């Protein structure tokens, strides 16, 4: 099946770290731009970080996470990661990944594939 599966969420204290994984099956992530998105109850979906296809290699971050989060891909594992450091309570949300043909499609939520999400909760 064509599928994206997120993992790595959990409960962490402010200032802590988590690494989220987005594993693809049924298609090759190398050719896609991948985005991490988050949504908290009562709030709109927010684009957190994007990584372009391997041939481009660009990385983009929302201002709210810049300097704290790092997106990367491991093509051999067909997986994209989001390393989240110095986590804040404001980061609490359901995080999901999505794949699209280019970054503009990701930014406008025109995904080709997306996962069901993983919960991140930051609290003391």
């Amino acid at each position: 099946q064509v599928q994206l599966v997120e993992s790595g969420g959990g409960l962490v204290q402010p200032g802590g770290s988590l690494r989220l994984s987005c594993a693809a099956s049924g298609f090759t992530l190398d050719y896609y731009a991948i985005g991490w998105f988050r949504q908290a109850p009562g709030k709109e979906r927010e684009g957190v970080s994007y990584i372009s296809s391997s041939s481009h290699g660009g990385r983009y971050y929302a201002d709210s996470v810049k300097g704290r989060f790092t997106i990367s891909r491991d093509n051999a594992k067909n997986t994209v990661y989001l390393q989240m450091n110095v986590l804040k309570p404001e980061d609490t949300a359901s995080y999901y990944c999505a794949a699209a043909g280019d970054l503009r499609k990701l930014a406008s939520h025109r995904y080709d594939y997306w996962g069901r999400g993983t919960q991140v909760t930051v609290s003391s």
Side-chain angles (χ1 to χ4, degrees), residues 39-44 92-94 119:
Q39 188 164 26
K43 297 183 179 180
E44 294 185 352
T92 296
S94 293
Q119 178 67 35

Side-chain angles (χ1 to χ4, degrees), residues 77-123:
K77 296 181 178 179
N78 210 25
T79 299
V80 170
Y81 302 98
L82 184 68
Q83 178 66 46
M84 306 186 297
N85 298 325
V86 197
L87 283 162
K88 304 175 181 180
E90 307 94 273
D91 297 317
T92 296
S94 293
Y95 285 71
Y96 62 93
C97 62
D102 58 55
L103 292 172
R104 289 188 178 185
K105 289 182 177 179
L106 280 179
S108 61
H109 310 293
R110 290 178 287 154
Y111 315 139
D112 294 310
Y113 311 104
W114 69 326
R116 293 182 179 272
T118 185
Q119 178 67 35
V120 172
T121 302
V122 184
S123 66

Side-chain angles (χ1 to χ4, degrees), residues 7 20 30 41 53 57-58 77 85 100 111 122 124:
S7 63
L20 306 184
D30 305 44
S53 62
K77 296 181 178 179
N85 298 325
Y111 315 139
V122 184
S124 58

